[in-house]
Amino acid sequence: MMKHISYLNAVTEALDEEMARDERIFLVGEDLDIDGGVWAETKGLVEKYGRRRVLGTPISESAFTGLAAGAAISGLRPVVEYMYPDFIHVAMDQVASQIAKARLMFGGQAPMPVVLRMCASGVGTREAAQHSELLEAWFAHLPGFQVVFPVTAADGKGLMKSALRADGPVVFFESRNVLYKKQDVPEGEYVVPIGKAEVIREGKDLTLVTYGYGRYKALDAASLMEGEIDAEVIDLRTLKPMDMETVMASVQKTGRLLVAQEAAPCCSIGSEVIRRVVEEGFGALKKAPRLVASKDVAIPFSANLEDYVVMQPADIVNAAAEMMN
Amino acid sequence: MLDLKEAYYWMTLIRSFEHRAKSLYRQGQLQGALHLSVGQEAVPVGVCSVLRDDDCVLSTHRSHGHYLAKTHDVEGAIAEMLGRATGCSKGCGGSMHLFNRAKGFLGSNGIVGGGIPIALGAAFAHFYQGTDGIGCTFFGDGAANQGTLHETLNLAALKKLPFLAVCENNGIAATTPTPVSTSDMERTKLAVAYGIPAERVDGNCVEEVAAAAERATAHIRQGKGPYLLDVRTYRVEPHCGIIMDNRDPEVARMWTEEKDALKGLRERHPEILTSEVTSRIEAEVAERLESAVAAALAAPEPELNHFRKTFGV
């Protein structure tokens, strides 16, 4: 049985179910105790669990990220909310030098069961350079994190449940382009394991790997190409650890790899997909792999400028056509 | 009440430990960064004399004294600093990343100001679980210029969390004297700005440190929120390793000769800390330290297969 609910309702359901199951889970971040945060991303939870477990904070990202780190070392399981991913920069010492490294530097004795949640990740909404960063590659590069980026309501719920049960820190990116989008979510307990990609469209000509809101652009591109190029579309869902089994199985079938992402190209998730495929499956490739990404520049405000900078379905279609020649 | 012999023992041990670490460093047996706390021993010993095992301490890059005073784990500390499997962080951390959960030492920290909000998290965990434990952070006057302290003090006061901030105000940050880096040396004023009670304390007098820490922890355990101690002391050694130190030799002489914490303690309590007692303590310390060093030197390096398995690499 399915229910038709918004992405945020689905994730809030996961939080609610897990908070009811596990007393150690608490939420911390700006405005969470007032109408569930500025995105209504935890709506109803403060009424149900109180201000002890839904801790609203001042605009002090370093302090509340550090608070989560200390609480996690002490045995709690915090979910830290950042209003925008861009705002995590001011807490980067706590994120990169404390949370990411504690387990290693204390010899495995300090697990860090923290979920860093950035529900307003994304571009294309005219929010300009300091509210449009896609930071997933930063966190994938830092040893110590698992990184997920669900963009469907079902994946949001299922991966949040896995993140809340994980032993180590999980960076949980979400797309602001889908927060209020209603989709089908299975009724009852629903868990999506970390580290599993999903083939969202089967095809034989070309493997189109994507993640985040790129999923919707890749599906649009696949529709535009239909009848000419039969693309197999894979949503990674988890960026680290990356599900190379699913990616490689597809590349073995199609012999072509095209990666599409909304983030800039340099040292990115797409670069990593290509590295892995070249190293692990070079023999299967009929053509050099391609990455279509946004341009290597900060996000400008004006609509025509932003649309020029950000990767669009047409870019995918063009690259795919070139690869089929 | 502070047990003076116990305090003298741990202050002597910390000082001897630091000197021994320095000699191992000079011999090339101890590698990496080495930040010594010689001269500051009364601060951790005084504060930790009123802390319980379930009170949690977050420390700094200059953490040996804090670790020893809180955990009494001499063997684990020196083994860690020598990179051995028997170290308190299994050889993964070294001098700047000591850890001992059972004794409430939740980590030293290589980032100045980094441990401050983590201690707030330990305080929050006590609040969350309804226990009367405390989250305590030591930090230097250099770290008092980091934003983390200000954010943390505000949040701690706002939520009335059981948080103890101990500023080891030793007048220098790395190699920059505090007057050059700081518009106002009086760190108690930082607490006042957030409505937090604070005291200025003579950090070379362990009885005063312990008494102030007792007032602070009593306040905190009554649920009245955080407390700050601005503890004045002096770092005798250079910032790190063999870095040059250009401080005024006359000031150094005053602190090491006239205001020395161990000498002062002996002189204030000649009837308890007789020369017989102090000699015995010094001999006990020397014996324990040498046996800890010998055990660490004989201990194995971290096992590579164990490392691979633990961290999946």
Side-chain angles (χ1 to χ4, degrees), chain A residues 22-26 33 52-53 55-76 90 93-94 97-98 103-111, chain B residues 56 58 80 88-90 92-94 96-99 101 106-109 111 113-115 117-122 124-125 127-129 148 151-152 154-155 158-159 161 307 310-311:
Chain A
D22 187 344
E23 170 75 17
R24 298 168 300 174
I25 297 172
F26 72 98
D33 55 349
R52 171 173 149 270
R53 296 187 69 191
L55 185 69
T57 69
I59 302 174
S60 302
E61 282 84 358
S62 286
F64 69 69
T65 306
L67 182 150
I73 300 185
S74 304
L76 303 184
V90 296
D93 170 59
Q94 291 301 320
S97 280
Q98 314 298 340
R103 181 162 176 268
L104 178 283
M105 67 189 177
F106 301 134
Q109 302 171 103
Chain B
C56 298
L58 273 292
E80 184 60 35
C88 59
S89 297
K90 319 281 185 199
C92 289
M96 286 190 287
H97 306 301
L98 306 176
F99 186 84
R101 180 188 301 283
L106 298 187
S108 350
N109 211 302
I111 309 295
I118 304 177
L120 183 70
F124 177 77
F127 159 79
Y128 191 88
Q129 288 154 341
T148 47
E151 291 187 20
T152 299
N154 178 53
L155 193 48
L158 188 71
K159 308 286 182 186
L161 294 177
F307 180 81
T310 307
F311 298 106

Side-chain angles (χ1 to χ4, degrees), chain A residues 30-293:
Chain A
E30 293 150 10
D31 299 332
L32 293 188
D33 55 349
I34 300 166
D35 297 332
V38 299
W39 305 98
E41 70 271 31
T42 61
K43 200 167 178 53
L45 296 180
V46 71
E47 290 81 359
K48 184 163 177 185
Y49 295 100
R51 287 190 158 75
R52 171 173 149 270
R53 296 187 69 191
V54 181
L55 185 69
T57 69
I59 302 174
S60 302
E61 282 84 358
S62 286
F64 69 69
T65 306
L67 182 150
I73 300 185
S74 304
L76 303 184
R77 302 181 74 90
V79 180
V80 194
E81 296 259 348
Y82 301 90
M83 197 182 289
Y84 278 83
D86 314 68
F87 304 166
I88 204 169
H89 292 309
V90 296
M92 213 54 189
D93 170 59
Q94 291 301 320
V95 172
S97 280
Q98 314 298 340
I99 291 174
K101 296 185 181 126
R103 181 162 176 268
L104 178 283
M105 67 189 177
F106 301 134
Q109 302 171 103
M112 270 282 176
V114 182
V115 179
L116 303 176
R117 182 181 181 200
M118 282 164 276
C119 73
S121 202
V123 289
T125 48
R126 320 307 179 209
E127 291 176 75
Q130 293 177 339
H131 287 61
S132 301
E133 273 201 284
L134 292 165
L135 296 174
E136 54 275 7
W138 288 41
F139 294 91
H141 182 74
L142 274 171
F145 287 118
Q146 295 184 308
V147 183
V148 301
F149 203 151
V151 288
T152 67
D155 286 348
K157 178 170 183 183
L159 276 167
M160 181 54 89
K161 295 200 79 145
S162 290
L164 291 167
R165 297 173 186 183
D167 288 335
V170 177
V171 187
F172 201 92
F173 285 101
E174 300 166 277
S175 169
R176 63 178 176 245
N177 306 88
V178 305
L179 297 182
Y180 311 108
K181 191 182 175 82
K182 286 191 175 177
Q183 291 172 321
D184 286 343
V185 177
E187 295 269 7
E189 174 80 351
Y190 182 68
V191 179
V192 174
I194 291 172
K196 291 300 282 183
E198 184 189 8
V199 178
I200 53 174
R201 182 187 189 281
E202 292 199 357
K204 61 177 182 359
D205 293 336
L206 168 144
T207 299
L208 175 51
V209 175
T210 188
Y211 68 89
Y213 192 64
R215 172 187 175 116
Y216 295 98
K217 292 186 173 176
L219 284 174
D220 284 352
S223 297
L224 290 169
M225 297 187 282
E226 203 155 309
E228 292 168 33
I229 301 169
D230 187 17
E232 178 145 296
V233 184
I234 296 173
D235 178 357
L236 290 172
R237 303 194 293 183
T238 295
L239 310 182
K240 188 182 186 183
M242 202 175 268
D243 179 3
M244 289 312 294
E245 201 177 315
T246 299
V247 173
M248 283 308 308
S250 178
V251 172
Q252 295 287 352
K253 183 170 76 173
T254 66
R256 293 180 181 83
L257 171 66
L258 174 60
V259 187
Q261 67 184 27
E262 287 192 314
C266 186
C267 303
S268 64
I269 298 299
S271 324
E272 179 65 4
V273 173
I274 292 173
R275 175 187 78 86
R276 295 284 301 269
V277 169
V278 167
E279 285 193 359
E280 296 167 30
F282 187 73
L285 293 167
K286 297 181 214 161
K287 283 270 185 178
R290 286 278 300 269
L291 170 64
V292 288

Side-chain angles (χ1 to χ4, degrees), chain B residues 143-220:
Chain B
N145 290 336
Q146 284 279 32
T148 47
L149 178 67
H150 301 265
E151 291 187 20
T152 299
L153 289 179
N154 178 53
L155 193 48
L158 188 71
K159 308 286 182 186
K160 279 198 174 226
L161 294 177
F163 177 69
L164 174 58
V166 181
C167 180
E168 292 181 310
N169 198 336
N170 62 14
I172 194 151
T175 57
T176 300
T178 308
V180 178
S181 67
T182 304
S183 64
D184 190 334
M185 283 275 286
E186 187 56 54
R187 294 315 198 175
T188 55
K189 289 183 186 170
L190 300 179
V192 171
Y194 299 103
I196 296 171
E199 292 186 42
R200 185 171 165 180
V201 186
D202 177 354
N204 277 32
C205 176
V206 70
E207 308 95 298
E208 278 197 30
V209 175
E214 181 63 52
R215 288 188 290 277
T217 53
H219 172 92
I220 295 167

Side-chain angles (χ1 to χ4, degrees), chain A residues 299-318:
Chain A
I299 300 298
F301 167 65
S302 193
N304 70 318
L305 299 179
E306 182 173 33
D307 291 346
Y308 168 74
V309 166
V310 171
M311 185 274 288
Q312 304 294 349
D315 300 324
I316 302 174
V317 173
N318 292 339

